[in-house]
């Protein structure tokens, strides 16, 4: 499923993210690797080359990076010349990257999505009340041996999208049932690797809870298609644990 709720960027302005934040991310990405092709930068930033090419030109003009000739790596055939070019950070560029890292976020990864675009993306994937058939229920619940009235109650809760309280003795399958119910929540969803809010970055992807879905991934590589996550919490859960946490060392939220 490709939602199309937000358009894949074609220009730097389409990102709706602060220019200095994107510039810092590009320079730190290059500093971390020493040398990368334009195609490799596309992959690491999750962006088409034309979106950050103005920054490449600016960095070259200010002698923050150099070009090192065309790459002969496999898969480069037919790609535009700038995409095949090798780009290396200069000494001045490495110093600038260090200065940026001293006062700004140290996030490395795909370019973050603007917060308003993130809200639009998430709202476009909210599922309303929809029918859940008996066959879908039995397929999701697998080999669990449940009485029909229990299956009917689970189905009613899934259709209503209301809260459901499951209780019983330890070891009678409560956790297994709730994990299987996630299969009835709908198709996989698209979420961004990270979100930008002003000059702050929030990392969204959590490999513990986000399982990459099989099949087609979004054209916009800032996004990843994942199965709807299931989060298990015990009675010791506190309200503050649901808030964002700040990584002091890398200076971003998650």
């Amino acid at each position: 499923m490709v939602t199309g709720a937000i358009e894949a960027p074609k220009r730097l302005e389409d990102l709706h993210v602060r220019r200095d934040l994107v510039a810092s991310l590009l320079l730190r990405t290059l500093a971390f690797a020493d040398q990368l092709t334009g195609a490799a930068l596309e992959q690491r930033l999750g962006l088409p080359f034309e979106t950050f090419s103005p920054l490449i030109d600016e960095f070259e003009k200010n002698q923050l990076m150099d070009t090192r000739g065309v790459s002969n790596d496999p898969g480069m055939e037919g790609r535009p010349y700038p995409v095949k070019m090798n780009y290396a950070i200069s000494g001045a560029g490495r110093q600038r990257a260090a200065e940026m890292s001293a006062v700004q976020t140290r996030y490395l990864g795909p370019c973050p999505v603007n917060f308003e675009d993130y809200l639009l993306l998430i709202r476009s994937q909210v599922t309303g009340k929809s029918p859940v058939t008996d066959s879908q229920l039995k397929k999701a619940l697998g080999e669990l041996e449940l009485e029909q009235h229990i299956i009917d109650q689970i189905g009613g809760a899934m259709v209503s999208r209301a809260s459901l309280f499951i209780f019983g003795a330890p070891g009678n399958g409560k956790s297994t049932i709730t994990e299987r119910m996630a299969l009835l929540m709908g198709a996989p969803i698209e979420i961004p690797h990270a979100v930008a809010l002003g000059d702050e970055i929030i990392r969204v992807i959590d490999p513990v809870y986000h399982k990459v879905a099989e099949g087609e991934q979004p054209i916009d590589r800032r996004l990843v298609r994942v199965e709807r996550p299931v989060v298990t919490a015990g009675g010791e859960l506190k309200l503050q644990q649901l808030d964002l946490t700040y990584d002091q060392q890398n200076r971003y939220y998650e």
Side-chain angles (χ1 to χ4, degrees):
M1 177 189 71
V2 178
T3 64
I6 59 175
E7 294 185 7
K10 297 179 181 178
R11 303 173 303 160
L12 184 60
E13 295 78 13
D14 295 338
L15 297 175
H16 307 135
V17 173
R18 287 178 48 166
R19 182 187 178 96
D20 61 333
L21 189 149
V22 183
S24 173
L25 177 59
L26 172 58
L27 197 60
R28 283 184 287 104
T29 299
L30 196 57
F32 186 79
D34 287 332
Q35 178 174 301
L36 291 169
T37 64
L41 284 169
E42 284 185 323
Q43 185 68 30
R44 298 199 183 198
L45 298 176
L47 298 173
F49 186 84
E50 56 266 26
T51 58
F52 57 85
S53 61
L55 298 174
I56 293 282
D57 295 339
E58 181 181 306
F59 289 162
E60 288 183 316
K61 181 179 179 180
N62 294 325
Q63 299 182 336
L64 299 179
M65 67 166 52
D66 306 310
T67 55
R68 296 285 178 85
V70 176
S71 170
N72 294 318
D73 291 345
M76 290 290 191
E77 299 82 3
R79 298 299 306 274
Y81 186 79
V83 176
K84 296 189 288 186
M85 184 69 70
N86 284 301
Y87 299 93
I89 193 164
S90 66
R94 189 172 297 281
Q95 181 178 350
R96 177 70 64 83
E99 292 170 353
M100 289 177 169
S101 296
V103 296
Q104 298 178 356
T105 178
R106 294 174 181 170
Y107 167 82
L108 282 175
C111 182
V113 170
N114 171 273
F115 185 68
E116 295 301 324
D117 288 342
Y118 168 69
L119 294 180
L120 181 63
L121 175 68
I122 297 304
R123 287 167 180 163
S124 72
Q125 300 177 92
V126 174
T127 57
K129 296 181 180 180
S130 57
V132 176
T133 66
D134 190 63
S135 61
Q136 288 175 320
L137 277 167
K138 290 180 177 178
K139 180 179 179 181
L141 296 173
E143 302 301 321
L144 296 178
E145 295 184 4
L146 300 172
E147 296 181 15
Q148 186 61 44
H149 75 277
I150 299 295
I151 295 176
D152 292 341
Q153 289 177 336
I154 294 173
M158 296 306 299
V159 170
S160 68
R161 291 294 192 262
S163 299
L164 176 65
F165 182 67
I166 301 178
F167 62 94
N172 67 354
K174 299 185 299 297
S175 297
T176 303
I177 290 174
T178 54
E179 289 172 357
R180 298 291 182 85
M181 287 172 65
L183 300 175
L184 299 168
M185 292 298 293
I189 56 175
E190 293 175 7
I191 59 175
H193 288 270
V195 171
L197 182 58
D199 58 357
E200 301 289 355
I201 290 181
I202 304 167
R203 189 168 69 93
V204 176
I205 286 289
D206 187 332
V208 175
Y209 298 111
H210 294 130
K211 178 184 177 183
V212 177
E214 296 181 357
E216 182 184 4
Q217 284 293 320
I219 296 174
D220 188 342
R221 288 177 290 182
R222 297 174 300 167
L223 311 178
V224 60
R225 185 169 173 262
V226 299
E227 302 292 346
R228 293 177 183 263
V230 176
V231 179
T232 304
E236 68 278 4
L237 178 68
K238 297 180 180 179
L239 186 61
Q240 55 264 37
Q241 291 177 278
L242 301 177
D243 203 354
L244 293 173
T245 57
Y246 186 67
D247 185 327
Q248 294 283 354
Q249 181 177 358
N250 294 310
R251 300 193 188 94
Y252 60 75
Y253 290 89
E254 55 186 350

mmCIF file with all atom_site columns, all heavy atoms in Angstrom, residues 27 30-35 64 89-99:
data_model
loop_
_atom_site.group_PDB
_atom_site.id
_atom_site.type_symbol
_atom_site.label_atom_id
_atom_site.label_alt_id
_atom_site.label_comp_id
_atom_site.label_asym_id
_atom_site.label_entity_id
_atom_site.label_seq_id
_atom_site.pdbx_PDB_ins_code
_atom_site.Cartn_x
_atom_site.Cartn_y
_atom_site.Cartn_z
_atom_site.occupancy
_atom_site.B_iso_or_equiv
_atom_site.pdbx_formal_charge
_atom_site.auth_seq_id
_atom_site.auth_comp_id
_atom_site.auth_asym_id
_atom_site.auth_atom_id
_atom_site.pdbx_PDB_model_num
ATOM 1   N N   . LEU A 1 27 ? 26.192 17.071 5.500  1.00 0.00 ? 27 LEU A N   1
ATOM 2   C CA  . LEU A 1 27 ? 27.621 17.208 5.774  1.00 0.00 ? 27 LEU A CA  1
ATOM 3   C C   . LEU A 1 27 ? 28.087 16.166 6.792  1.00 0.00 ? 27 LEU A C   1
ATOM 4   O O   . LEU A 1 27 ? 29.163 15.574 6.648  1.00 0.00 ? 27 LEU A O   1
ATOM 5   C CB  . LEU A 1 27 ? 27.923 18.621 6.279  1.00 0.00 ? 27 LEU A CB  1
ATOM 6   C CG  . LEU A 1 27 ? 29.392 19.055 6.221  1.00 0.00 ? 27 LEU A CG  1
ATOM 7   C CD1 . LEU A 1 27 ? 29.908 19.015 4.792  1.00 0.00 ? 27 LEU A CD1 1
ATOM 8   C CD2 . LEU A 1 27 ? 29.560 20.458 6.795  1.00 0.00 ? 27 LEU A CD2 1
ATOM 9   N N   . LEU A 1 30 ? 28.371 12.729 5.154  1.00 0.00 ? 30 LEU A N   1
ATOM 10  C CA  . LEU A 1 30 ? 29.592 12.613 4.361  1.00 0.00 ? 30 LEU A CA  1
ATOM 11  C C   . LEU A 1 30 ? 30.823 12.515 5.265  1.00 0.00 ? 30 LEU A C   1
ATOM 12  O O   . LEU A 1 30 ? 31.753 11.746 4.984  1.00 0.00 ? 30 LEU A O   1
ATOM 13  C CB  . LEU A 1 30 ? 29.713 13.809 3.424  1.00 0.00 ? 30 LEU A CB  1
ATOM 14  C CG  . LEU A 1 30 ? 30.700 13.684 2.263  1.00 0.00 ? 30 LEU A CG  1
ATOM 15  C CD1 . LEU A 1 30 ? 30.372 12.478 1.400  1.00 0.00 ? 30 LEU A CD1 1
ATOM 16  C CD2 . LEU A 1 30 ? 30.686 14.945 1.420  1.00 0.00 ? 30 LEU A CD2 1
ATOM 17  N N   . ALA A 1 31 ? 30.827 13.263 6.360  1.00 0.00 ? 31 ALA A N   1
ATOM 18  C CA  . ALA A 1 31 ? 31.960 13.223 7.286  1.00 0.00 ? 31 ALA A CA  1
ATOM 19  C C   . ALA A 1 31 ? 32.095 11.843 7.918  1.00 0.00 ? 31 ALA A C   1
ATOM 20  O O   . ALA A 1 31 ? 33.206 11.355 8.157  1.00 0.00 ? 31 ALA A O   1
ATOM 21  C CB  . ALA A 1 31 ? 31.790 14.287 8.371  1.00 0.00 ? 31 ALA A CB  1
ATOM 22  N N   . PHE A 1 32 ? 30.984 11.202 8.181  1.00 0.00 ? 32 PHE A N   1
ATOM 23  C CA  . PHE A 1 32 ? 30.996 9.884  8.817  1.00 0.00 ? 32 PHE A CA  1
ATOM 24  C C   . PHE A 1 32 ? 31.578 8.828  7.888  1.00 0.00 ? 32 PHE A C   1
ATOM 25  O O   . PHE A 1 32 ? 32.215 7.871  8.330  1.00 0.00 ? 32 PHE A O   1
ATOM 26  C CB  . PHE A 1 32 ? 29.569 9.501  9.219  1.00 0.00 ? 32 PHE A CB  1
ATOM 27  C CG  . PHE A 1 32 ? 29.474 8.225  9.998  1.00 0.00 ? 32 PHE A CG  1
ATOM 28  C CD1 . PHE A 1 32 ? 29.783 8.187  11.349 1.00 0.00 ? 32 PHE A CD1 1
ATOM 29  C CD2 . PHE A 1 32 ? 29.070 7.046  9.380  1.00 0.00 ? 32 PHE A CD2 1
ATOM 30  C CE1 . PHE A 1 32 ? 29.696 7.009  12.067 1.00 0.00 ? 32 PHE A CE1 1
ATOM 31  C CE2 . PHE A 1 32 ? 28.984 5.861  10.086 1.00 0.00 ? 32 PHE A CE2 1
ATOM 32  C CZ  . PHE A 1 32 ? 29.295 5.840  11.440 1.00 0.00 ? 32 PHE A CZ  1
ATOM 33  N N   . ALA A 1 33 ? 31.376 9.011  6.563  1.00 0.00 ? 33 ALA A N   1
ATOM 34  C CA  . ALA A 1 33 ? 31.805 7.995  5.596  1.00 0.00 ? 33 ALA A CA  1
ATOM 35  C C   . ALA A 1 33 ? 33.063 8.386  4.823  1.00 0.00 ? 33 ALA A C   1
ATOM 36  O O   . ALA A 1 33 ? 33.601 7.569  4.084  1.00 0.00 ? 33 ALA A O   1
ATOM 37  C CB  . ALA A 1 33 ? 30.677 7.716  4.610  1.00 0.00 ? 33 ALA A CB  1
ATOM 38  N N   . ASP A 1 34 ? 33.527 9.634  4.942  1.00 0.00 ? 34 ASP A N   1
ATOM 39  C CA  . ASP A 1 34 ? 34.682 10.163 4.206  1.00 0.00 ? 34 ASP A CA  1
ATOM 40  C C   . ASP A 1 34 ? 34.364 10.416 2.735  1.00 0.00 ? 34 ASP A C   1
ATOM 41  O O   . ASP A 1 34 ? 34.574 11.504 2.233  1.00 0.00 ? 34 ASP A O   1
ATOM 42  C CB  . ASP A 1 34 ? 35.903 9.246  4.313  1.00 0.00 ? 34 ASP A CB  1
ATOM 43  C CG  . ASP A 1 34 ? 36.547 9.307  5.680  1.00 0.00 ? 34 ASP A CG  1
ATOM 44  O OD1 . ASP A 1 34 ? 36.435 10.361 6.334  1.00 0.00 ? 34 ASP A OD1 1
ATOM 45  O OD2 . ASP A 1 34 ? 37.144 8.309  6.101  1.00 0.00 ? 34 ASP A OD2 1
ATOM 46  N N   . GLN A 1 35 ? 33.868 9.396  2.037  1.00 0.00 ? 35 GLN A N   1
ATOM 47  C CA  . GLN A 1 35 ? 33.589 9.549  0.611  1.00 0.00 ? 35 GLN A CA  1
ATOM 48  C C   . GLN A 1 35 ? 32.379 8.711  0.228  1.00 0.00 ? 35 GLN A C   1
ATOM 49  O O   . GLN A 1 35 ? 32.252 7.556  0.625  1.00 0.00 ? 35 GLN A O   1
ATOM 50  C CB  . GLN A 1 35 ? 34.801 9.112  -0.218 1.00 0.00 ? 35 GLN A CB  1
ATOM 51  C CG  . GLN A 1 35 ? 34.589 9.180  -1.726 1.00 0.00 ? 35 GLN A CG  1
ATOM 52  C CD  . GLN A 1 35 ? 35.855 8.871  -2.501 1.00 0.00 ? 35 GLN A CD  1
ATOM 53  O OE1 . GLN A 1 35 ? 36.879 9.540  -2.345 1.00 0.00 ? 35 GLN A OE1 1
ATOM 54  N NE2 . GLN A 1 35 ? 35.803 7.848  -3.348 1.00 0.00 ? 35 GLN A NE2 1
ATOM 55  N N   . LEU A 1 64 ? 34.001 22.839 1.149  1.00 0.00 ? 64 LEU A N   1
ATOM 56  C CA  . LEU A 1 64 ? 33.706 21.920 2.242  1.00 0.00 ? 64 LEU A CA  1
ATOM 57  C C   . LEU A 1 64 ? 33.718 20.467 1.766  1.00 0.00 ? 64 LEU A C   1
ATOM 58  O O   . LEU A 1 64 ? 33.775 19.548 2.583  1.00 0.00 ? 64 LEU A O   1
ATOM 59  C CB  . LEU A 1 64 ? 32.345 22.247 2.867  1.00 0.00 ? 64 LEU A CB  1
ATOM 60  C CG  . LEU A 1 64 ? 32.211 23.649 3.471  1.00 0.00 ? 64 LEU A CG  1
ATOM 61  C CD1 . LEU A 1 64 ? 30.814 23.849 4.031  1.00 0.00 ? 64 LEU A CD1 1
ATOM 62  C CD2 . LEU A 1 64 ? 33.262 23.876 4.557  1.00 0.00 ? 64 LEU A CD2 1
ATOM 63  N N   . ILE A 1 89 ? 34.592 14.639 1.713  1.00 0.00 ? 89 ILE A N   1
ATOM 64  C CA  . ILE A 1 89 ? 34.607 15.808 2.583  1.00 0.00 ? 89 ILE A CA  1
ATOM 65  C C   . ILE A 1 89 ? 36.031 16.340 2.699  1.00 0.00 ? 89 ILE A C   1
ATOM 66  O O   . ILE A 1 89 ? 37.005 15.568 2.715  1.00 0.00 ? 89 ILE A O   1
ATOM 67  C CB  . ILE A 1 89 ? 34.030 15.464 3.969  1.00 0.00 ? 89 ILE A CB  1
ATOM 68  C CG1 . ILE A 1 89 ? 33.747 16.735 4.767  1.00 0.00 ? 89 ILE A CG1 1
ATOM 69  C CG2 . ILE A 1 89 ? 34.956 14.520 4.737  1.00 0.00 ? 89 ILE A CG2 1
ATOM 70  C CD1 . ILE A 1 89 ? 32.845 16.524 5.951  1.00 0.00 ? 89 ILE A CD1 1
ATOM 71  N N   . SER A 1 90 ? 36.170 17.645 2.744  1.00 0.00 ? 90 SER A N   1
ATOM 72  C CA  . SER A 1 90 ? 37.485 18.274 2.878  1.00 0.00 ? 90 SER A CA  1
ATOM 73  C C   . SER A 1 90 ? 37.811 18.479 4.355  1.00 0.00 ? 90 SER A C   1
ATOM 74  O O   . SER A 1 90 ? 36.976 18.246 5.236  1.00 0.00 ? 90 SER A O   1
ATOM 75  C CB  . SER A 1 90 ? 37.492 19.618 2.152  1.00 0.00 ? 90 SER A CB  1
ATOM 76  O OG  . SER A 1 90 ? 36.611 20.526 2.797  1.00 0.00 ? 90 SER A OG  1
ATOM 77  N N   . GLY A 1 91 ? 39.031 18.939 4.624  1.00 0.00 ? 91 GLY A N   1
ATOM 78  C CA  . GLY A 1 91 ? 39.394 19.234 6.003  1.00 0.00 ? 91 GLY A CA  1
ATOM 79  C C   . GLY A 1 91 ? 38.508 20.318 6.592  1.00 0.00 ? 91 GLY A C   1
ATOM 80  O O   . GLY A 1 91 ? 38.072 20.230 7.747  1.00 0.00 ? 91 GLY A O   1
ATOM 81  N N   . ALA A 1 92 ? 38.225 21.350 5.781  1.00 0.00 ? 92 ALA A N   1
ATOM 82  C CA  . ALA A 1 92 ? 37.347 22.426 6.247  1.00 0.00 ? 92 ALA A CA  1
ATOM 83  C C   . ALA A 1 92 ? 35.935 21.907 6.482  1.00 0.00 ? 92 ALA A C   1
ATOM 84  O O   . ALA A 1 92 ? 35.255 22.317 7.424  1.00 0.00 ? 92 ALA A O   1
ATOM 85  C CB  . ALA A 1 92 ? 37.333 23.562 5.223  1.00 0.00 ? 92 ALA A CB  1
ATOM 86  N N   . GLY A 1 93 ? 35.502 20.974 5.619  1.00 0.00 ? 93 GLY A N   1
ATOM 87  C CA  . GLY A 1 93 ? 34.174 20.396 5.780  1.00 0.00 ? 93 GLY A CA  1
ATOM 88  C C   . GLY A 1 93 ? 34.070 19.557 7.035  1.00 0.00 ? 93 GLY A C   1
ATOM 89  O O   . GLY A 1 93 ? 33.052 19.592 7.739  1.00 0.00 ? 93 GLY A O   1
ATOM 90  N N   . ARG A 1 94 ? 35.127 18.817 7.336  1.00 0.00 ? 94 ARG A N   1
ATOM 91  C CA  . ARG A 1 94 ? 35.125 17.998 8.547  1.00 0.00 ? 94 ARG A CA  1
ATOM 92  C C   . ARG A 1 94 ? 35.081 18.880 9.791  1.00 0.00 ? 94 ARG A C   1
ATOM 93  O O   . ARG A 1 94 ? 34.395 18.570 10.769 1.00 0.00 ? 94 ARG A O   1
ATOM 94  C CB  . ARG A 1 94 ? 36.364 17.100 8.567  1.00 0.00 ? 94 ARG A CB  1
ATOM 95  C CG  . ARG A 1 94 ? 36.342 16.058 9.670  1.00 0.00 ? 94 ARG A CG  1
ATOM 96  C CD  . ARG A 1 94 ? 37.500 15.084 9.504  1.00 0.00 ? 94 ARG A CD  1
ATOM 97  N NE  . ARG A 1 94 ? 37.395 14.350 8.257  1.00 0.00 ? 94 ARG A NE  1
ATOM 98  C CZ  . ARG A 1 94 ? 36.589 13.310 8.080  1.00 0.00 ? 94 ARG A CZ  1
ATOM 99  N NH1 . ARG A 1 94 ? 35.817 12.900 9.073  1.00 0.00 ? 94 ARG A NH1 1
ATOM 100 N NH2 . ARG A 1 94 ? 36.555 12.685 6.925  1.00 0.00 ? 94 ARG A NH2 1
ATOM 101 N N   . GLN A 1 95 ? 35.798 19.995 9.741  1.00 0.00 ? 95 GLN A N   1
ATOM 102 C CA  . GLN A 1 95 ? 35.774 20.927 10.871 1.00 0.00 ? 95 GLN A CA  1
ATOM 103 C C   . GLN A 1 95 ? 34.388 21.540 11.030 1.00 0.00 ? 95 GLN A C   1
ATOM 104 O O   . GLN A 1 95 ? 33.875 21.666 12.149 1.00 0.00 ? 95 GLN A O   1
ATOM 105 C CB  . GLN A 1 95 ? 36.814 22.027 10.670 1.00 0.00 ? 95 GLN A CB  1
ATOM 106 C CG  . GLN A 1 95 ? 36.876 23.021 11.826 1.00 0.00 ? 95 GLN A CG  1
ATOM 107 C CD  . GLN A 1 95 ? 37.958 24.074 11.630 1.00 0.00 ? 95 GLN A CD  1
ATOM 108 O OE1 . GLN A 1 95 ? 38.786 23.969 10.725 1.00 0.00 ? 95 GLN A OE1 1
ATOM 109 N NE2 . GLN A 1 95 ? 37.954 25.092 12.469 1.00 0.00 ? 95 GLN A NE2 1
ATOM 110 N N   . ARG A 1 96 ? 33.755 21.913 9.905  1.00 0.00 ? 96 ARG A N   1
ATOM 111 C CA  . ARG A 1 96 ? 32.411 22.480 9.961  1.00 0.00 ? 96 ARG A CA  1
ATOM 112 C C   . ARG A 1 96 ? 31.415 21.452 10.510 1.00 0.00 ? 96 ARG A C   1
ATOM 113 O O   . ARG A 1 96 ? 30.542 21.797 11.316 1.00 0.00 ? 96 ARG A O   1
ATOM 114 C CB  . ARG A 1 96 ? 31.976 22.923 8.567  1.00 0.00 ? 96 ARG A CB  1
ATOM 115 C CG  . ARG A 1 96 ? 30.547 23.462 8.489  1.00 0.00 ? 96 ARG A CG  1
ATOM 116 C CD  . ARG A 1 96 ? 30.393 24.802 9.170  1.00 0.00 ? 96 ARG A CD  1
ATOM 117 N NE  . ARG A 1 96 ? 31.185 25.807 8.503  1.00 0.00 ? 96 ARG A NE  1
ATOM 118 C CZ  . ARG A 1 96 ? 30.783 26.473 7.411  1.00 0.00 ? 96 ARG A CZ  1
ATOM 119 N NH1 . ARG A 1 96 ? 29.585 26.228 6.890  1.00 0.00 ? 96 ARG A NH1 1
ATOM 120 N NH2 . ARG A 1 96 ? 31.561 27.381 6.864  1.00 0.00 ? 96 ARG A NH2 1
ATOM 121 N N   . ALA A 1 97 ? 31.555 20.202 10.089 1.00 0.00 ? 97 ALA A N   1
ATOM 122 C CA  . ALA A 1 97 ? 30.667 19.149 10.583 1.00 0.00 ? 97 ALA A CA  1
ATOM 123 C C   . ALA A 1 97 ? 30.826 18.970 12.092 1.00 0.00 ? 97 ALA A C   1
ATOM 124 O O   . ALA A 1 97 ? 29.845 18.775 12.817 1.00 0.00 ? 97 ALA A O   1
ATOM 125 C CB  . ALA A 1 97 ? 30.949 17.838 9.859  1.00 0.00 ? 97 ALA A CB  1
ATOM 126 N N   . ALA A 1 98 ? 32.070 19.050 12.576 1.00 0.00 ? 98 ALA A N   1
ATOM 127 C CA  . ALA A 1 98 ? 32.327 18.925 14.014 1.00 0.00 ? 98 ALA A CA  1
ATOM 128 C C   . ALA A 1 98 ? 31.712 20.094 14.772 1.00 0.00 ? 98 ALA A C   1
ATOM 129 O O   . ALA A 1 98 ? 31.146 19.919 15.864 1.00 0.00 ? 98 ALA A O   1
ATOM 130 C CB  . ALA A 1 98 ? 33.826 18.846 14.272 1.00 0.00 ? 98 ALA A CB  1
ATOM 131 N N   . GLU A 1 99 ? 31.805 21.291 14.200 1.00 0.00 ? 99 GLU A N   1
ATOM 132 C CA  . GLU A 1 99 ? 31.210 22.468 14.835 1.00 0.00 ? 99 GLU A CA  1
ATOM 133 C C   . GLU A 1 99 ? 29.693 22.341 14.906 1.00 0.00 ? 99 GLU A C   1
ATOM 134 O O   . GLU A 1 99 ? 29.071 22.684 15.916 1.00 0.00 ? 99 GLU A O   1
ATOM 135 C CB  . GLU A 1 99 ? 31.602 23.727 14.058 1.00 0.00 ? 99 GLU A CB  1
ATOM 136 C CG  . GLU A 1 99 ? 33.084 24.075 14.149 1.00 0.00 ? 99 GLU A CG  1
ATOM 137 C CD  . GLU A 1 99 ? 33.480 25.183 13.185 1.00 0.00 ? 99 GLU A CD  1
ATOM 138 O OE1 . GLU A 1 99 ? 32.619 25.579 12.352 1.00 0.00 ? 99 GLU A OE1 1
ATOM 139 O OE2 . GLU A 1 99 ? 34.631 25.651 13.251 1.00 0.00 ? 99 GLU A OE2 1
#
